[in-house]
Amino acid sequence: MSDRILKVNAYTTLDLLDGRAEGHGFEEHALAVLNVTADRKNPDAVKLQLELDNTDLDSVPAHADEIELTPEQARTVAAALEERAATVESATDG
């Protein structure tokens, strides 16, 4: 990904994912980076960051999305991910 907004390094949670941007009248696919982080000093939130490779997108300008989660919200998301992962594993183990 050129012209990145997010720093991608050995500590990045997941890189080179299959991403999709969807809007009114368009749907585009691109490589994506997903990162979960918190400030090193005095963290007050868990940050969930997502960036799609803008070189593969025509309808969306270069940008990164970020949401801040409380520890409780982060645990809720983690639990939901675990549940969905188990659902997909069960369906594909058949």
Side-chain angles (χ1 to χ4, degrees):
M1 288 173 60
S2 62
D3 194 27
R4 286 187 173 124
I5 294 169
L6 296 178
K7 291 181 181 176
V8 177
N9 57 37
Y11 302 105
T12 303
T13 307
L14 298 170
D15 59 353
L16 299 179
L17 301 169
D18 292 325
R20 180 171 61 101
E22 181 180 348
H24 296 292
F26 74 90
E27 179 178 317
E28 296 187 277
H29 296 263
L31 292 176
V33 171
L34 179 69
N35 194 39
V36 179
T37 189
D39 293 338
R40 288 183 182 204
K41 294 182 180 180
N42 303 315
D44 62 351
V46 175
K47 295 177 183 178
L48 182 62
Q49 304 167 318
L50 176 68
E51 181 178 5
L52 274 62
D53 183 354
N54 66 308
T55 61
D56 289 339
L57 301 174
D58 295 321
S59 299
V60 182
H63 76 287
D65 294 306
E66 178 178 293
I67 59 171
E68 291 189 357
L69 304 168
T70 65
E72 181 181 349
Q73 290 169 327
R75 287 186 185 95
T76 298
V77 170
L81 287 168
E82 286 286 346
E83 289 175 15
R84 296 309 162 274
T87 300
V88 172
E89 285 176 338
S90 295
T92 58
D93 285 345

